[in-house]
Structures are given as structure tokens and as C-alpha cells.
């Protein structure tokens, strides 16, 4: 019996010695953990003393626990650092997209102006060779047209239908006067001449066809260019939207609490990371669908600009299309003149046709068929400008950004542990992330008026793009009018409620018909 007691006693002593030597205490584990992460903190520039041994974690606001390797000062600094890391990560993803839109917009404008200037030059050279000083004396008719087209693309404040109608009316008056040089016409008589223009069709179907082509191509291209500018601005302005306090706390918990807990080089679980980033990007969620609609509309307009609305095929041969109109008048000038004289009355006889002074345009100069049509070949040989090629490239790039906002959380979690990792940081411990553990949201959802404004801008330009795609006219608004379309929830307080409702109605009208000349908003 005594022997058995001695054996048991010896065994008990052996177990105690084994525990004392091979199994460190909890304090020892924490001490080793703090030592392991101390170098991490020092590398991050912490000058204050980093605990060598674990201290109580009850004083911490975010990484609270029984023990911790972080002081309260460290937690505050790490929280700021986690927010900065988030901002930097977001900028690194958004800035390339904004820069892409910006560069493509600048290049598109550059190519268009080069195309228009080349067309203007070809027009001037062709008509100068044909008429010489005669054309120069009447060049304002054509240069005004080019100026108007350039101004539309730059400012969008003109009605292209009116622009083209005025051009052909003025051209008709000049051609009619020249063709009937033996008569003198006052302004009243010339107004009567243009009054019968629709009925007589002196230029055939050229005005109708050319006006339709110019309207569709210019409206589509300007809307496409404005779409690039709006997309660029929206992406840049999204960076101005601040995350919520809950987001900042959860970022700290995800990125630094594992180190405070004594773990070195631990990555957050991917589902947990997505959950945190979705919380931080909660203001971006309404932008997901709106951006998809916007990209689809941009692609549709781009396809139109490559085919039926191809502006290269409209702008480059303008000189030949207008010359065709003039030849139509040349062929039917006598018949048209007789009908005008019958409808407007006999004109006042001036000098005889044979007495026409030098430098005055006469019917003999109206026949373009005598010109060498090698001009066309010369124009084609020197035509190395193509808006449609650039549009094709832009369309391809834009299409790739269709799911940008929906894929953003995954991209921001590219450094997280792989999907289904057995051991990763769950926000509170190492392990496998099981579904949603629930984030610590400390305040109610905050509404972002800045994000509302960006979504409104995307929706407005999307509607314009769809109109341009269908060949409809697009109304453009100036910057002052854009300020009218403000977020509907910016005002707060019971005394501001009427303004909130008013602003909501205002935004709805902006989407339906954003024209400053239709509705006068006053309160």
C-alpha cells in the first residue's frame, strides 16, 4: 500500500514538473505574442513604448479584450492609419478609371476639332479653286456654318435644325440673287423668296438629308463626349464621400485588432473583409445599377457613331454635299425663278445680265460638273483623321468598367485570406469565418447628399444618351441649371420639410426634361 502511494506521488510530481516546463502560462503566451508584434509596431513608426507583456484590454474602445498588446494611444493612431489605408486603396482603384475617362475625353475632343478643321480647310480650298475671289466674297455663308457647328459641339446651346435651316435659307438667297443678277431684290422680297423654299425645293433633297445626318451625328458625338466628362467627374467626386464612423471602427478591427491580439502577419477572412468594405461603401450601392445603365447607354451611342451616325462620313464630304445642292439649283434655276416671280411679284429690273461687273457670281460659275473630281481623291489621301476609330476604342474600354462598382469590394479585399481559409482573422479571433457574425454598427445609416448628386448626374446623362441613341434632340443645361438638380434629402429639420419635398419634385423634373427654358423654379 505504501509503495502504491509512493508511485502515485512520484507520478504527480512528474506531471507538475512537465506542466511547469513545457506549457507556458497565459501571461507567458501573451508576453511572447507582444514580443512578436513589437517589431511590427516599431516598423510602423510607433515611438511610444509598446508593451512587452500583455496588458488589460478593457480600456480599448475597438480592440477590447481580456489582454492586449496595444495601448489606448496606439489604438487611436492605428484607427487613423486604417482609415488612411482604406482611402489610399480606394483612390488607387478609382483614379485610374477617372484618368481613363479624362484622357479619352480630351483625345475625342482633339480628334473632332481636327476633323472639323480639316473639313473646313478642304471646303475652302475646293471653293477657292472653283470661284476664286467670287467665293471669298461670299465665304461668310459657309464659314458661319462651320463656326455654328463648332460652337454646338463646344457649348451645346444651339438648335441644329435652326442652324441648318438658316444656312440653306441664306445660301438660297445668295444663289437666287446671283442667278437673277439682272434684278434688284430688297430684304422684303428675299423673305418672300425663302417663304416658298419648302415648296420649291431649290436644292432638292440635299438640305433634308444633310440636316438629318448632321443633327444625328453631332448630337450623338457631343452627348458621348459629355458622357465621358460626367463619368470622369462622378468617379472623382465619389472619393469625396466620407465613410461612416462604424466603417472606420470596423476597418480598425479588421486590419489591426489581430496584431493587438498578439498575432503577426494574419490576414482577414475574405467574407469578413467583404462585409466590412460593403459597410464602408454603403453609399456607393445605389450607383451600381445606375452605372451599369450608364455604361450600356454609352456603348449604344458608341455603336451608332461607328455606323449610321458616323460623323466622319458627314463632316469630311460636306463640301461635295453642298456643291450637289448648288448644282440642283443650277439645273432648275430658271423654273424656280419663274415660280418665285409669279408668287412674289415681278422684281425690279436692275442692270442687264451682260453688264454684270467683275467679281460678281454668275450662273456660269455654278456648274461644279466642270471641276476635276480628283479633289475627292486628294481629300481621301490626306484624310488620316477618324473619330469613329477613336470611339470604337473608347467603347471597348468603357464596356470593361460595366461591373466596376459591384466588383469594387472584392478588389479592395485582394490582400485578404483566400475563400474558405481554415484560419484567418474573423474580427475577434483566429478561425474560419462562419456566415455573417454581425458588425458593430454604432450609428444609424447616414444619408450622403454628395452621392445623391452623383447618381442624379449619371441618371440625367444616361437619359440624354438614350435620346441621342434614338436620334432625338438632346437639350443641354448650363452649370447654373445643374445646381438646381440637387440631392432631395440635403435639408433637415421639420421647418425644412417643404423644401425637401420641393427638391424631390425638382429632381424628378430634371430627369424628365432638364431644360432651363421650360420650368422656372422659384420659391
Amino acid at each position: 500500500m505504501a509503495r502504491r502511494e509512493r508511485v502515485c506521488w512520484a507520478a504527480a510530481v512528474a506531471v507538475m514538473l512537465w506542466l511547469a516546463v513545457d506549457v507556458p502560462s497565459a501571461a507567458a503566451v501573451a508576453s511572447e505574442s507582444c514580443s512578436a508584434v513589437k517589431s511590427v509596431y516599431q516598423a510602423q513608426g510607433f515611438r511610444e513604448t509598446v508593451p512587452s507583456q500583455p496588458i488589460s484590454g478593457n480600456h480599448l474602445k475597438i480592440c477590447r479584450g481580456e489582454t492586449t498588446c496595444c495601448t489606448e494611444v496606439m489604438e487611436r493612431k492605428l484607427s487613423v492609419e486604417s482609415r488612411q489605408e482604406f482611402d489610399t486603396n480606394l483612390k488607387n482603384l478609382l483614379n485610374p478609371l477617372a484618368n481613363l475617362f479624362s484622357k479619352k475625353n480630351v483625345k475625342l475632343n482633339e480628334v473632332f476639332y481636327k476633323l472639323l478643321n480639316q473639313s473646313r480647310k478642304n471646303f475652302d480650298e475646293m471653293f477657292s479653286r472653283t470661284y476664286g475671289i467670287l467665293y471669298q466674297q461670299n465665304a461668310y455663308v459657309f464659314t458661319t456654318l462651320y463656326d455654328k457647328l463648332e460652337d454646338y459641339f463646344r457649348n451645346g446651346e444651339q438648335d441644329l435644325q435652326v442652324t441648318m435651316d438658316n444656312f440653306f435659307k441664306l445660301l438660297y438667297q445668295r444663289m437666287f440673287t446671283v442667278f437673277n443678277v439682272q434684278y434688284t431684290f430688297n430684304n422684303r422680297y428675299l423673305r418672300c423668296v425663302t417663304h416658298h423654299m419648302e415648296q420649291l425645293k431649290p436644292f432638292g433633297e440635299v438640305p433634308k438629308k444633310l440636316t438629318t445626318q448632321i443633327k444625328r451625328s453631332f448630337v450623338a458625338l457631343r452627348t458621348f463626349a459629355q458622357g465621358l466628362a460626367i463619368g470622369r467627374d462622378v468617379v472623382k467626386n465619389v472619393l469625396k464621400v466620407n465613410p461612416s464612423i462604424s466603417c472606420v471602427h470596423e476597418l480598425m478591427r479588421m486590419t489591426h485588432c489581430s496584431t493587438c491580439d498578439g498575432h503577426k502577419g494574419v490576414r482577414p477572412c475574405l467574407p469578413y473583409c467583404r462585409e466590412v468594405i460593403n459597410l464602408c461603401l454603403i453609399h456607393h450601392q445605389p450607383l451600381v445599377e445606375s452605372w451599369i445603365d450608364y455604361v450600356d447607354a454609352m456603348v449604344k451611342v458608341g455603336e451608332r457613331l461607328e455606323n449610321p451616325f458616323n460623323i466622319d462620313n458627314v463632316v469630311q464630304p460636306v463640301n461635295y454635299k453642298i456643291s450637289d445642292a448648288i448644282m440642283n439649283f443650277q439645273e432648275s434655276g430658271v423654273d424656280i425663278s419663274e415660280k418665285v416671280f409669279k408668287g412674289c411679284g415681278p422684281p425690279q429690273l436692275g442692270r442687264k445680265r451682260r453688264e454684270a461687273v467683275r467679281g460678281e457670281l454668275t450662273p456660269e460659275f455654278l456648274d461644279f460638273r466642270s471641276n476635276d473630281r480628283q479633289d475627292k481623291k486628294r481629300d481621301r489621301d490626306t484624310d488620316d483623321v477618324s473619330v469613329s476609330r477613336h470611339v470604337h476604342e473608347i467603347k471597348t474600354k468603357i464596356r470593361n468598367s460595366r461591373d466596376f462598382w459591384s466588383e469594387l469590394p472584392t478588389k479592395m479585399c485582394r490582400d485578404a485570406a483566400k475563400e474558405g481559409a481554415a484560419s484567418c482573422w474573423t474580427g475577434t479571433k483566429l478561425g474560419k469565418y462562419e456566415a455573417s457574425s454581425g458588425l458593430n454598427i454604432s450609428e444609424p445609416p447616414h444619408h450622403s447628399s454628395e452621392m445623391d448628386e452623383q447618381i442624379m448626374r449619371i441618371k440625367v446623362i444616361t437619359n440624354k444618351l438614350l435620346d441621342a441613341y434614338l436620334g432625338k434632340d438632346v437639350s443641354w443645361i448650363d452649370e447654373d441649371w445643374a445646381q438646381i438638380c440637387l440631392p432631395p434629402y440635403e435639408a433637415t429639420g421639420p421647418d425644412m420639410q417643404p423644401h425637401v419635398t420641393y427638391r424631390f419634385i425638382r429632381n424628378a423634373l430634371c430627369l424628365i426634361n432638364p431644360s432651363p427654358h421650360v420650368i422656372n423654379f422659384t420659391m
Side-chain angles (χ1 to χ4, degrees), residues 3-19:
R3 184 179 179 184
R4 179 181 297 178
E5 290 178 355
R6 287 196 299 271
V7 171
C8 291
W9 174 254
V13 171
V15 170
M16 292 176 65
L17 290 173
W18 178 79
L19 289 173

Side-chain angles (χ1 to χ4, degrees), residues 170-185:
L170 181 58
L171 180 61
Y172 179 37
Q173 289 180 357
R174 297 300 305 140
M175 292 296 101
F176 186 85
T177 301
V178 165
F179 194 84
N180 297 282
V181 68
Q182 69 272 31
Y183 298 107
T184 299
F185 304 101

Side-chain angles (χ1 to χ4, degrees), residues 82-116:
S82 63
R83 164 66 191 278
Q84 292 173 343
E85 291 172 352
F86 171 81
D87 290 344
T88 300
N89 195 4
L90 188 61
K91 287 179 181 178
N92 289 340
L93 290 170
L94 265 60
N95 279 341
L97 182 63
N99 292 338
L100 171 67
F101 277 66
S102 179
K103 290 179 181 178
K104 295 303 179 184
N105 181 53
V106 170
K107 183 64 176 179
L108 181 62
N109 280 266
E110 177 186 322
V111 173
F112 166 76
Y113 288 125
K114 187 174 182 181
L115 172 71
L116 193 65

Side-chain angles (χ1 to χ4, degrees), residues 305-323:
L305 287 169
E306 288 183 87
N307 297 296
F309 298 174
N310 190 318
I311 200 167
D312 299 328
N313 297 337
V314 176
V315 172
Q316 199 59 264
V318 161
N319 50 353
Y320 298 109
K321 293 180 180 181
I322 292 178
S323 74

Side-chain angles (χ1 to χ4, degrees), residues 434-483:
E434 301 293 343
S436 175
S437 60
L439 302 180
N440 184 17
I441 301 177
S442 58
E443 86 276 15
H446 174 68
H447 195 84
S448 172
S449 60
E450 178 70 31
M451 185 58 74
D452 281 345
E453 183 176 350
Q454 305 317 311
I455 294 171
M456 177 64 65
R457 297 183 72 186
I458 282 292
K459 287 184 177 180
V460 169
I461 193 62
T462 298
N463 288 342
K464 293 181 184 297
L465 287 163
L466 293 176
D467 284 343
Y469 169 75
L470 296 174
K472 297 180 180 180
D473 290 337
V474 172
S475 299
W476 294 104
I477 58 178
D478 55 27
E479 195 63 24
D480 293 336
W481 175 256
Q483 296 302 317

Side-chain angles (χ1 to χ4, degrees), residues 267-315:
R267 295 185 179 185
C269 302
L270 181 57
Y272 168 56
C273 179
R274 287 174 181 160
E275 197 173 330
V276 172
I277 298 301
N278 279 326
L279 171 66
C280 295
L281 301 179
I282 192 169
H283 299 319
H284 300 200
Q285 290 305 310
L287 189 57
V288 173
E289 293 299 325
S290 298
W291 186 265
I292 290 175
D293 293 339
Y294 156 75
V295 169
D296 289 345
M298 286 288 289
V299 171
K300 284 183 176 181
V301 175
E303 291 173 347
R304 281 282 200 261
L305 287 169
E306 288 183 87
N307 297 296
F309 298 174
N310 190 318
I311 200 167
D312 299 328
N313 297 337
V314 176
V315 172

